[in-house]
Amino acid sequence: MARSIFNVPYNGNAAAARQIVDGFMAREGFKLTDYNGTQVYKLGIGMAQAMQFAQVFYNPNEIVIHGWICAGLGSATMGEMDLNGFVGMMPKKALKKRIDKLIGELKVLA
């Protein structure tokens, strides 16, 4: 599992954090979907560009965001790729930018 991990300190108000995350992801076009038995946010189907994924965990004093892409089509992918490196640079950069923007919105809960 190659994922980039982002840790965001917050005040522990998980309901408010979920509201911010859900609203942000919806505005960005992500859909909540099942991925290997867990709920993740997914953007794209892999036709023209790699699928982008984010998974969010709400711990008592920290929100943990996992971000990764999968190249391929539907369930026929080349596996998970973190947001570093040259392969898949454009979708990686786009997802990293979105996660940074989400982190900025979550700072109101710090």
Side-chain angles (χ1 to χ4, degrees):
M1 223 171 29
R3 299 180 180 187
S4 295
I5 300 173
F6 306 86
N7 300 302
V8 184
Y10 83 122
N11 63 13
N13 187 342
R18 276 190 183 92
Q19 188 174 16
I20 290 170
V21 170
D22 288 343
F24 177 86
M25 291 302 205
R27 286 191 311 274
E28 293 291 320
F30 284 81
K31 304 285 188 220
L32 199 56
T33 187
D34 181 75
Y35 180 83
N36 296 333
T38 60
Q39 292 291 298
V40 301
Y41 295 95
K42 176 183 171 188
L43 179 65
I45 58 171
M47 287 287 280
Q49 198 173 52
M51 295 171 280
Q52 299 176 26
F53 293 89
Q55 186 174 24
V56 183
F57 301 93
Y58 303 92
N59 297 330
N61 297 310
E62 179 180 65
I63 298 168
V64 180
I65 304 169
H66 291 197
W68 71 98
I69 66 165
C70 286
L73 183 60
S75 61
T77 68
M78 297 179 354
E80 296 180 7
M81 291 184 267
D82 66 20
L83 304 182
N84 300 308
F86 182 75
V87 175
M89 180 178 61
M90 295 305 288
K92 286 179 180 181
K93 193 175 188 179
L95 181 55
K96 172 75 168 71
K97 188 174 181 180
R98 285 183 170 106
I99 290 174
D100 287 342
K101 190 174 172 185
L102 173 59
I103 290 170
E105 289 192 20
L106 289 167
K107 290 204 186 272
V108 299
L109 300 176

XYZ file of all heavy atoms in Angstrom:
841
model
N 0.839 -1.169 0.000
C 0.000 0.000 0.000
C 0.889 1.240 0.000
O 1.492 1.569 0.998
C -0.867 -0.028 1.258
C -2.259 0.337 1.025
S -3.440 0.112 2.384
C -2.545 0.300 3.879
N 1.009 1.900 -1.119
C 1.818 3.108 -1.225
C 0.904 4.317 -1.152
O 0.228 4.643 -2.126
C 2.608 3.100 -2.520
N 0.896 4.945 -0.007
C 0.032 6.113 0.189
C 0.825 7.239 0.832
O 1.714 6.993 1.643
C -1.153 5.772 1.096
C -2.038 4.692 0.527
C -3.181 4.373 1.444
N -4.033 3.323 0.875
C -5.169 2.930 1.393
N -5.630 3.496 2.500
N -5.879 1.978 0.817
N 0.479 8.461 0.494
C 1.033 9.616 1.196
C 0.129 9.904 2.379
O -1.098 9.806 2.272
C 1.094 10.827 0.262
O 2.004 10.579 -0.789
N 0.732 10.249 3.508
C -0.022 10.455 4.744
C 0.186 11.885 5.233
O 1.316 12.374 5.295
C 0.401 9.437 5.817
C 0.124 8.022 5.308
C -0.323 9.697 7.133
C 0.659 6.918 6.195
N -0.929 12.528 5.565
C -0.924 13.908 6.046
C -1.595 13.947 7.411
O -2.720 13.460 7.556
C -1.681 14.819 5.060
C -1.164 14.719 3.660
C -1.639 13.738 2.796
C -0.193 15.591 3.197
C -1.163 13.620 1.499
C 0.286 15.491 1.896
C -0.190 14.501 1.047
N -0.933 14.502 8.403
C -1.462 14.601 9.766
C -1.856 16.041 10.040
O -1.049 16.958 9.852
C -0.416 14.136 10.775
C -0.010 12.698 10.528
O -0.841 11.807 10.548
N 1.267 12.472 10.272
N -3.097 16.225 10.477
C -3.636 17.565 10.706
C -4.151 17.646 12.142
O -5.137 16.986 12.487
C -4.799 17.864 9.732
C -5.283 19.292 9.900
C -4.400 17.584 8.294
N -3.502 18.439 13.008
C -4.028 18.585 14.369
C -5.361 19.327 14.345
O -5.574 20.207 13.510
C -2.948 19.395 15.091
C -2.089 19.983 14.042
C -2.305 19.211 12.779
N -6.265 18.930 15.257
C -7.556 19.630 15.355
C -8.111 19.488 16.762
O -7.551 18.789 17.595
C -8.520 19.143 14.271
C -9.294 17.869 14.550
C -10.677 17.864 14.529
C -8.650 16.663 14.820
C -11.402 16.707 14.768
C -9.361 15.503 15.044
C -10.739 15.526 15.023
O -11.453 14.386 15.260
N -9.236 20.155 17.020
C -9.803 20.243 18.363
C -10.611 19.027 18.790
O -11.213 19.024 19.858
C -10.653 21.513 18.496
C -11.853 21.507 17.551
O -12.204 20.495 16.958
N -12.473 22.673 17.411
N -10.689 18.005 17.976
C -11.414 16.790 18.333
C -12.884 16.787 17.974
O -13.585 15.819 18.249
N -13.371 17.850 17.343
C -14.768 17.913 16.940
C -14.930 17.176 15.609
O -14.912 17.771 14.531
C -15.216 19.370 16.822
C -16.698 19.503 16.565
O -17.366 18.554 16.153
N -17.215 20.705 16.782
N -15.092 15.848 15.695
C -15.148 15.009 14.498
C -16.346 15.343 13.620
O -16.259 15.278 12.392
C -15.152 13.534 14.887
N -17.470 15.708 14.222
C -18.664 16.033 13.429
C -18.405 17.248 12.543
O -18.755 17.251 11.356
C -19.862 16.270 14.339
N -17.785 18.279 13.100
C -17.470 19.475 12.321
C -16.431 19.158 11.249
O -16.530 19.632 10.110
C -16.962 20.591 13.231
N -15.453 18.330 11.591
C -14.419 17.951 10.627
C -15.027 17.165 9.472
O -14.712 17.420 8.307
C -13.334 17.129 11.317
N -15.921 16.225 9.784
C -16.575 15.439 8.729
C -17.387 16.340 7.798
O -17.416 16.134 6.585
C -17.486 14.382 9.343
C -16.784 13.139 9.741
C -17.760 12.025 10.119
N -17.025 10.871 10.574
C -16.700 10.621 11.834
N -17.066 11.454 12.789
N -16.010 9.548 12.160
N -18.048 17.323 8.372
C -18.843 18.243 7.566
C -17.943 19.019 6.590
O -18.280 19.175 5.419
C -19.610 19.201 8.473
C -20.593 20.062 7.740
C -21.434 20.897 8.700
O -21.109 21.062 9.873
N -22.526 21.422 8.190
N -16.796 19.470 7.077
C -15.855 20.193 6.217
C -15.319 19.267 5.125
O -15.296 19.620 3.942
C -14.703 20.789 7.047
C -15.227 21.938 7.916
C -13.572 21.276 6.145
C -14.239 22.448 8.948
N -14.896 18.067 5.525
C -14.333 17.118 4.558
C -15.373 16.715 3.512
O -15.103 16.744 2.314
C -13.751 15.874 5.275
C -13.384 14.784 4.282
C -12.539 16.265 6.119
N -16.566 16.332 3.964
C -17.613 15.910 3.024
C -17.966 17.019 2.038
O -18.106 16.773 0.837
C -18.868 15.462 3.773
C -18.707 14.131 4.475
O -17.755 13.385 4.149
O -19.531 13.832 5.358
N -18.109 18.245 2.534
C -18.431 19.373 1.667
C -17.322 19.650 0.665
O -17.581 19.865 -0.523
N -16.086 19.626 1.141
C -14.947 19.879 0.253
C -14.863 18.818 -0.834
O -14.718 19.129 -2.016
C -13.646 19.911 1.065
C -12.425 20.090 0.207
C -11.998 21.358 -0.154
C -11.716 18.994 -0.266
C -10.884 21.521 -0.969
C -10.605 19.152 -1.081
C -10.190 20.417 -1.427
N -14.950 17.562 -0.436
C -14.821 16.473 -1.402
C -15.949 16.517 -2.435
O -15.709 16.279 -3.624
C -14.798 15.124 -0.690
C -13.538 14.916 0.125
S -12.056 15.038 -0.893
C -10.922 14.062 0.037
N -17.148 16.833 -2.012
C -18.271 16.943 -2.950
C -18.020 18.079 -3.947
O -18.240 17.911 -5.156
C -19.570 17.166 -2.196
N -17.551 19.222 -3.468
C -17.252 20.354 -4.365
C -16.169 20.009 -5.376
O -16.178 20.499 -6.504
C -16.826 21.583 -3.557
C -17.944 22.277 -2.831
C -17.524 23.628 -2.258
N -16.294 23.629 -1.494
C -16.203 23.335 -0.190
N -17.285 22.995 0.494
N -15.042 23.378 0.429
N -15.220 19.171 -4.969
C -14.116 18.788 -5.847
C -14.478 17.639 -6.781
O -13.678 17.238 -7.619
C -12.881 18.423 -5.018
C -12.267 19.591 -4.273
C -11.623 20.608 -5.203
O -10.969 20.206 -6.194
O -11.764 21.820 -4.951
N -15.674 17.067 -6.623
C -16.129 16.011 -7.519
C -15.864 14.589 -7.037
O -16.104 13.630 -7.764
N -15.365 14.426 -5.809
C -15.106 13.099 -5.268
C -16.407 12.433 -4.846
O -17.343 13.094 -4.405
C -14.185 13.182 -4.038
C -12.742 13.426 -4.367
C -12.286 14.702 -4.650
C -11.835 12.388 -4.389
C -10.961 14.943 -4.944
C -10.504 12.611 -4.682
C -10.067 13.888 -4.959
N -16.440 11.122 -4.966
C -17.581 10.322 -4.522
C -17.105 9.377 -3.434
O -16.020 8.798 -3.537
C -18.157 9.482 -5.678
C -18.557 10.288 -6.894
C -19.828 11.033 -6.684
C -20.285 11.674 -7.983
N -20.825 12.968 -7.830
N -17.927 9.201 -2.403
C -17.627 8.231 -1.361
C -17.930 6.849 -1.912
O -19.008 6.610 -2.455
C -18.474 8.527 -0.116
C -18.001 7.934 1.194
C -16.576 8.353 1.526
C -18.931 8.357 2.313
N -16.963 5.940 -1.808
C -17.121 4.614 -2.392
C -16.426 3.561 -1.542
O -15.571 3.890 -0.712
C -16.557 4.596 -3.835
O -16.875 3.352 -4.440
C -15.060 4.786 -3.864
N -16.783 2.311 -1.756
C -16.130 1.204 -1.075
C -14.850 0.847 -1.827
O -14.852 0.699 -3.050
C -17.063 -0.015 -1.027
C -16.422 -1.177 -0.312
O -16.341 -1.128 0.926
O -15.980 -2.119 -0.994
N -13.754 0.714 -1.099
C -12.464 0.358 -1.681
C -11.826 -0.683 -0.773
O -11.425 -0.372 0.346
C -11.579 1.597 -1.807
C -10.212 1.358 -2.385
C -10.014 1.291 -3.757
C -9.106 1.223 -1.560
C -8.760 1.093 -4.291
C -7.836 1.022 -2.086
C -7.667 0.957 -3.451
O -6.414 0.758 -3.977
N -11.814 -1.910 -1.209
C -11.254 -3.015 -0.417
C -11.862 -3.088 0.980
O -11.168 -3.300 1.972
C -9.726 -2.897 -0.323
C -9.051 -3.031 -1.666
O -9.574 -3.666 -2.577
N -7.887 -2.433 -1.806
N -13.171 -2.860 1.061
C -13.871 -2.991 2.329
C -13.863 -1.764 3.223
O -14.354 -1.814 4.346
N -13.321 -0.655 2.754
C -13.331 0.580 3.546
C -13.910 1.715 2.709
O -13.890 1.670 1.476
C -11.915 0.977 4.029
O -11.084 1.188 2.890
C -11.306 -0.092 4.909
N -14.399 2.741 3.368
C -14.963 3.903 2.688
C -13.858 4.910 2.377
O -13.100 5.307 3.271
C -16.031 4.567 3.564
C -17.279 3.721 3.735
C -18.053 3.625 2.436
O -18.511 4.614 1.898
N -18.202 2.412 1.931
N -13.753 5.270 1.108
C -12.770 6.257 0.661
C -13.447 7.227 -0.307
O -14.510 6.942 -0.846
C -11.555 5.591 -0.028
C -10.847 4.619 0.896
C -11.958 4.906 -1.316
N -12.810 8.355 -0.519
C -13.258 9.306 -1.530
C -12.491 9.009 -2.817
O -11.272 8.841 -2.798
C -12.979 10.740 -1.086
C -13.760 11.141 0.139
C -13.197 11.044 1.406
C -15.065 11.605 0.032
C -13.909 11.403 2.534
C -15.781 11.967 1.153
C -15.198 11.865 2.395
O -15.906 12.213 3.511
N -13.212 8.961 -3.936
C -12.604 8.618 -5.218
C -13.024 9.637 -6.271
O -14.184 10.036 -6.337
C -13.068 7.218 -5.651
C -12.571 6.784 -7.008
C -13.155 5.419 -7.352
C -12.844 5.056 -8.788
N -13.555 3.850 -9.205
N -12.063 10.016 -7.105
C -12.319 10.912 -8.222
C -11.828 10.238 -9.495
O -10.677 9.827 -9.576
C -11.596 12.244 -8.037
C -11.760 13.267 -9.151
C -13.210 13.734 -9.257
C -10.849 14.462 -8.919
N -12.709 10.097 -10.466
C -12.340 9.542 -11.760
C -12.540 8.045 -11.857
O -12.739 7.358 -10.855
N -12.486 7.563 -13.108
C -12.643 6.119 -13.356
C -11.429 5.536 -14.049
O -11.407 4.360 -14.384
C -13.919 5.826 -14.184
C -13.886 6.572 -15.506
C -15.172 6.158 -13.388
C -14.980 6.172 -16.474
N -10.422 6.360 -14.292
C -9.191 5.861 -14.875
C -9.140 5.902 -16.392
O -8.192 5.399 -16.975
N -10.136 6.471 -17.038
C -10.138 6.502 -18.511
C -9.049 7.439 -19.052
O -8.136 6.999 -19.710
C -11.501 6.960 -19.031
C -12.590 5.934 -18.891
S -12.413 4.590 -20.043
C -13.091 5.321 -21.512
N -9.158 8.721 -18.770
C -8.213 9.692 -19.318
C -7.080 10.001 -18.348
O -6.016 10.449 -18.763
C -8.943 10.981 -19.668
N -7.312 9.767 -17.085
C -6.320 10.097 -16.076
C -6.454 9.133 -14.912
O -7.516 8.533 -14.712
C -6.537 11.541 -15.605
C -5.346 12.133 -14.895
C -5.563 13.604 -14.612
O -6.580 13.973 -14.047
N -4.615 14.427 -15.000
N -5.388 8.978 -14.142
C -5.401 8.061 -13.012
C -6.484 8.440 -12.002
O -6.798 9.620 -11.827
C -4.035 8.062 -12.322
N -7.054 7.426 -11.368
C -8.047 7.660 -10.320
C -7.346 8.242 -9.093
O -6.239 7.820 -8.752
C -8.740 6.347 -9.954
C -9.552 5.774 -11.100
S -10.148 4.100 -10.753
C -8.661 3.152 -11.108
N -7.990 9.200 -8.440
C -7.445 9.825 -7.242
C -8.258 9.366 -6.032
O -9.486 9.320 -6.097
C -7.510 11.344 -7.360
C -6.711 11.883 -8.524
C -6.859 13.388 -8.673
O -7.129 14.097 -7.720
N -6.667 13.878 -9.894
N -7.564 9.030 -4.950
C -8.215 8.526 -3.748
C -7.756 9.292 -2.516
O -6.601 9.705 -2.428
C -7.863 7.045 -3.524
C -8.422 6.107 -4.543
C -7.712 5.804 -5.692
C -9.663 5.512 -4.354
C -8.218 4.922 -6.632
C -10.178 4.632 -5.292
C -9.454 4.335 -6.432
N -8.671 9.430 -1.561
C -8.343 9.981 -0.254
C -9.157 9.232 0.795
O -10.331 8.917 0.576
C -8.655 11.473 -0.189
N -8.512 8.910 1.887
C -9.177 8.272 3.021
C -8.879 9.114 4.244
O -7.735 9.540 4.450
C -8.671 6.843 3.201
C -9.407 6.064 4.260
C -8.971 4.610 4.293
O -7.882 4.256 3.870
N -9.835 3.766 4.821
N -9.897 9.361 5.059
C -9.756 10.264 6.197
C -10.087 9.524 7.485
O -11.110 8.842 7.574
C -10.667 11.502 6.029
C -10.468 12.469 7.180
C -10.405 12.188 4.697
N -9.200 9.672 8.471
C -9.397 9.088 9.798
C -9.488 10.223 10.811
O -8.676 11.153 10.778
C -8.226 8.170 10.164
C -8.020 7.045 9.192
C -7.135 7.185 8.128
C -8.708 5.854 9.343
C -6.939 6.150 7.228
C -8.519 4.817 8.446
C -7.636 4.962 7.386
N -10.450 10.137 11.710
C -10.677 11.175 12.710
C -10.247 10.632 14.076
O -11.013 9.956 14.750
C -12.150 11.588 12.720
C -12.630 12.069 11.372
C -13.202 11.185 10.463
C -12.475 13.394 10.986
C -13.632 11.605 9.218
C -12.899 13.825 9.737
C -13.478 12.930 8.855
O -13.892 13.344 7.617
N -9.022 10.909 14.464
C -8.503 10.503 15.770
C -8.829 11.596 16.785
O -9.233 12.698 16.405
C -7.006 10.245 15.676
C -6.688 9.100 14.726
O -7.484 8.182 14.561
N -5.533 9.154 14.086
N -8.658 11.343 18.083
C -9.058 12.338 19.089
C -8.469 13.741 18.897
O -9.174 14.721 19.071
C -8.584 11.721 20.401
C -8.637 10.248 20.149
C -8.248 10.078 18.713
N -7.205 13.870 18.533
C -6.591 15.191 18.387
C -5.945 15.414 17.028
O -5.211 16.376 16.841
C -5.541 15.414 19.481
C -6.154 15.417 20.850
O -7.134 16.114 21.094
N -5.606 14.630 21.758
N -6.214 14.499 16.104
C -5.539 14.573 14.822
C -6.405 13.929 13.732
O -6.996 12.876 13.934
C -4.208 13.823 14.940
C -3.376 13.768 13.718
C -2.083 13.002 13.955
O -2.134 11.783 14.223
O -1.032 13.644 13.873
N -6.453 14.604 12.595
C -7.079 14.030 11.408
C -5.942 13.483 10.552
O -4.938 14.165 10.339
C -7.863 15.098 10.628
C -8.997 15.657 11.490
C -8.410 14.523 9.324
C -9.636 16.903 10.928
N -6.092 12.262 10.099
C -5.073 11.642 9.254
C -5.683 11.425 7.872
O -6.731 10.788 7.742
C -4.575 10.310 9.848
C -3.511 9.692 8.956
C -4.050 10.506 11.263
N -5.032 11.983 6.861
C -5.510 11.870 5.484
C -4.511 11.034 4.694
O -3.320 11.352 4.667
C -5.660 13.255 4.831
C -6.593 14.150 5.653
C -6.163 13.118 3.388
C -6.588 15.606 5.235
N -5.002 9.970 4.069
C -4.183 9.165 3.164
C -4.557 9.557 1.740
O -5.746 9.610 1.409
C -4.469 7.677 3.342
C -4.004 7.118 4.642
N -3.863 5.772 4.842
C -3.655 7.702 5.808
C -3.445 5.543 6.072
N -3.324 6.708 6.675
N -3.577 9.821 0.904
C -3.826 10.161 -0.486
C -3.007 9.281 -1.415
O -1.845 8.993 -1.129
N -3.620 8.820 -2.512
C -2.908 7.999 -3.483
C -3.647 8.014 -4.811
O -4.778 8.445 -4.886
C -2.732 6.565 -2.979
C -3.980 5.733 -2.919
C -4.406 4.825 -3.851
C -4.969 5.703 -1.882
N -5.586 4.241 -3.452
C -5.956 4.762 -2.232
C -5.129 6.383 -0.671
C -7.073 4.491 -1.446
C -6.244 6.116 0.117
C -7.188 5.178 -0.269
N -2.971 7.562 -5.830
C -3.602 7.399 -7.135
C -3.477 5.942 -7.562
O -2.638 5.203 -7.061
C -2.997 8.319 -8.225
C -1.550 7.943 -8.532
C -3.117 9.781 -7.827
C -1.015 8.541 -9.812
N -4.343 5.547 -8.481
C -4.266 4.236 -9.124
C -4.391 4.461 -10.618
O -5.356 5.063 -11.075
C -5.390 3.314 -8.667
S -5.210 2.663 -7.010
N -3.401 3.978 -11.364
C -3.462 4.064 -12.812
C -4.070 2.780 -13.349
O -3.841 1.707 -12.816
C -2.068 4.272 -13.386
N -4.856 2.896 -14.371
C -5.524 1.746 -14.964
C -6.989 2.077 -15.169
O -7.401 3.223 -15.067
N -7.776 1.060 -15.415
C -9.193 1.262 -15.687
C -10.025 0.394 -14.760
O -9.850 -0.827 -14.731
C -9.504 0.926 -17.145
C -10.931 1.161 -17.615
C -11.321 2.631 -17.453
C -11.076 0.769 -19.069
N -10.909 1.033 -13.988
C -11.781 0.295 -13.078
C -10.986 -0.497 -12.069
O -10.135 0.036 -11.381
N -11.242 -1.808 -11.986
C -10.538 -2.637 -11.019
C -9.218 -3.168 -11.575
O -8.437 -3.775 -10.845
C -11.425 -3.807 -10.584
O -11.746 -4.600 -11.704
N -8.935 -2.953 -12.858
C -7.678 -3.389 -13.463
C -6.660 -2.258 -13.354
O -6.458 -1.483 -14.276
C -7.895 -3.772 -14.924
N -6.038 -2.143 -12.184
C -5.100 -1.054 -11.941
C -3.682 -1.591 -11.776
O -3.473 -2.790 -11.601
C -5.470 -0.258 -10.676
O -5.276 -1.096 -9.533
C -6.895 0.229 -10.732
N -2.732 -0.683 -11.786
C -1.332 -1.030 -11.558
C -1.001 -0.926 -10.074
O 0.160 -0.926 -9.702
C -0.422 -0.109 -12.374
C -0.620 -0.261 -13.861
S 0.386 0.811 -14.929
C 1.247 1.921 -13.894
N -1.995 -0.808 -9.226
C -1.767 -0.700 -7.795
C -1.705 0.733 -7.318
O -1.759 1.676 -8.108
N -1.595 0.890 -6.024
C -1.568 2.218 -5.416
C -0.204 2.872 -5.588
O 0.823 2.209 -5.503
C -1.887 2.115 -3.925
C -3.275 1.612 -3.644
C -3.573 1.506 -2.161
O -2.754 1.948 -1.329
O -4.640 0.970 -1.831
N -0.235 4.197 -5.815
C 0.990 4.984 -5.900
C 0.839 6.203 -4.990
O -0.176 6.901 -5.057
C 1.234 5.452 -7.337
C 1.594 4.339 -8.292
S 1.980 4.977 -9.941
C 0.359 4.849 -10.694
N 1.862 6.434 -4.151
C 1.811 7.623 -3.303
C 1.964 8.867 -4.172
O 2.061 8.772 -5.392
C 2.853 7.551 -2.182
C 4.292 7.582 -2.686
O 4.545 8.024 -3.817
O 5.179 7.162 -1.923
N 1.984 10.022 -3.549
C 1.959 11.276 -4.307
C 3.346 11.844 -4.583
O 3.489 13.012 -4.916
C 1.082 12.295 -3.572
C -0.340 11.816 -3.304
C -1.147 12.910 -2.622
C -1.025 11.338 -4.573
N 4.371 11.003 -4.457
C 5.742 11.402 -4.767
C 6.192 10.687 -6.032
O 5.621 9.676 -6.424
C 6.681 11.032 -3.610
C 6.275 11.713 -2.322
O 6.095 12.917 -2.287
N 6.116 10.935 -1.271
N 7.232 11.201 -6.666
C 7.805 10.526 -7.821
C 7.277 11.033 -9.147
O 6.313 11.793 -9.217
N 7.915 10.564 -10.219
C 7.648 11.059 -11.562
C 6.461 10.367 -12.224
O 5.674 10.998 -12.918
C 8.897 10.901 -12.427
C 8.728 11.435 -13.812
C 8.722 12.800 -14.045
C 8.544 10.580 -14.880
C 8.542 13.304 -15.316
C 8.368 11.070 -16.162
C 8.378 12.441 -16.390
N 6.333 9.043 -12.028
C 5.255 8.295 -12.687
C 3.910 8.809 -12.188
O 3.666 8.862 -10.984
C 5.387 6.779 -12.420
C 4.205 6.024 -12.998
C 6.692 6.254 -12.981
N 3.049 9.218 -13.105
C 1.741 9.757 -12.737
C 1.819 11.148 -12.145
O 0.985 11.536 -11.328
N 2.807 11.905 -12.550
C 3.088 13.202 -11.939
C 1.890 14.154 -11.951
O 1.605 14.803 -10.948
C 4.274 13.855 -12.643
C 4.653 15.205 -12.085
S 6.097 15.926 -12.884
C 5.547 16.085 -14.568
N 1.173 14.249 -13.066
C 0.080 15.225 -13.152
C -1.066 14.918 -12.185
O -1.484 15.800 -11.435
C -0.419 15.331 -14.599
C 0.628 15.897 -15.554
S 1.286 17.497 -15.022
C -0.122 18.523 -15.367
N -1.610 13.693 -12.156
C -2.676 13.440 -11.185
C -2.175 13.473 -9.740
O -2.911 13.878 -8.837
C -3.212 12.058 -11.570
C -2.180 11.449 -12.437
C -1.428 12.570 -13.072
N -0.933 13.095 -9.518
C -0.372 13.178 -8.162
C -0.337 14.628 -7.703
O -0.732 14.948 -6.585
C 1.050 12.594 -8.127
C 1.111 11.096 -8.216
C 2.561 10.630 -8.192
C 2.667 9.127 -8.287
N 4.068 8.678 -8.236
N 0.142 15.491 -8.578
C 0.231 16.913 -8.262
C -1.155 17.509 -8.007
O -1.348 18.297 -7.082
C 0.937 17.634 -9.412
C 1.371 19.022 -9.117
C 2.176 19.561 -10.309
C 2.792 20.888 -9.988
N 3.588 21.406 -11.104
N -2.125 17.104 -8.822
C -3.494 17.616 -8.664
C -4.090 17.175 -7.331
O -4.719 17.969 -6.624
C -4.370 17.135 -9.820
N -3.898 15.908 -6.957
C -4.443 15.431 -5.690
C -3.730 16.070 -4.516
O -4.371 16.458 -3.531
C -4.353 13.895 -5.609
C -4.914 13.270 -4.326
C -6.363 13.688 -4.077
C -4.785 11.759 -4.376
N -2.423 16.217 -4.592
C -1.663 16.857 -3.507
C -2.162 18.289 -3.306
O -2.350 18.736 -2.172
C -0.171 16.851 -3.848
C 0.701 17.636 -2.901
C 0.900 16.925 -1.586
C 1.987 17.524 -0.736
N 1.715 18.801 -0.149
N -2.420 18.990 -4.385
C -2.935 20.360 -4.306
C -4.314 20.372 -3.629
O -4.604 21.229 -2.791
C -3.014 20.961 -5.711
C -3.342 22.415 -5.758
C -3.256 22.922 -7.199
C -3.558 24.394 -7.280
N -3.469 24.894 -8.661
N -5.166 19.413 -3.964
C -6.492 19.321 -3.341
C -6.370 19.027 -1.846
O -7.086 19.612 -1.023
C -7.319 18.234 -4.018
C -7.853 18.618 -5.365
C -8.737 17.518 -5.947
N -9.419 17.990 -7.122
C -9.090 17.632 -8.361
N -8.103 16.783 -8.572
N -9.759 18.115 -9.387
N -5.492 18.101 -1.486
C -5.323 17.764 -0.066
C -4.787 18.965 0.698
O -5.238 19.251 1.811
C -4.432 16.516 0.098
C -5.193 15.281 -0.397
C -4.008 16.339 1.555
C -4.369 14.009 -0.428
N -3.838 19.692 0.123
C -3.326 20.905 0.776
C -4.447 21.920 0.992
O -4.518 22.571 2.042
C -2.203 21.532 -0.057
C -0.908 20.736 0.001
O -0.744 19.901 0.913
O -0.055 20.955 -0.883
N -5.331 22.048 0.013
C -6.470 22.975 0.127
C -7.417 22.507 1.227
O -7.908 23.307 2.031
C -7.185 23.062 -1.216
C -8.226 24.139 -1.326
C -8.745 24.203 -2.764
C -9.922 25.141 -2.875
N -10.497 25.131 -4.227
N -7.682 21.205 1.300
C -8.524 20.656 2.357
C -7.904 20.903 3.726
O -8.608 21.313 4.671
C -8.740 19.146 2.140
C -9.467 18.394 3.261
C -10.849 18.974 3.518
C -9.537 16.918 2.939
N -6.617 20.687 3.853
C -5.914 20.933 5.118
C -6.091 22.392 5.520
O -6.319 22.703 6.695
C -4.437 20.519 5.025
C -4.331 18.987 4.944
C -3.635 21.051 6.201
C -2.948 18.463 4.606
N -6.005 23.298 4.547
C -6.228 24.721 4.829
C -7.610 24.982 5.391
O -7.785 25.764 6.326
N -8.632 24.301 4.842
C -10.003 24.483 5.348
C -10.162 23.873 6.743
O -10.936 24.377 7.553
C -11.000 23.880 4.375
C -11.133 24.661 3.086
C -12.310 24.245 2.235
O -13.253 23.620 2.758
O -12.290 24.576 1.034
N -9.428 22.802 7.027
C -9.544 22.150 8.345
C -8.846 22.928 9.454
O -9.095 22.693 10.629
C -8.982 20.717 8.273
C -9.817 19.716 7.494
C -9.026 18.450 7.230
C -11.121 19.414 8.227
N -7.989 23.867 9.097
C -7.238 24.635 10.101
C -8.154 25.442 11.016
O -7.735 25.811 12.120
C -6.201 25.515 9.440
C -5.065 24.691 8.839
C -3.799 25.478 8.704
C -2.758 24.675 7.980
N -1.960 23.840 8.823
N -9.383 25.700 10.613
C -10.307 26.427 11.490
C -10.641 25.602 12.736
O -11.121 26.151 13.731
C -11.624 26.819 10.769
C -11.341 27.732 9.600
C -12.420 25.604 10.355
N -10.357 24.291 12.694
C -10.633 23.417 13.832
C -9.405 23.182 14.701
O -9.455 22.384 15.637
C -11.160 22.063 13.342
C -12.440 22.108 12.532
C -12.804 20.725 12.033
C -13.582 22.676 13.371
N -8.310 23.870 14.414
C -7.062 23.672 15.178
C -7.182 24.212 16.589
O -7.963 25.056 16.893
C -5.895 24.320 14.465
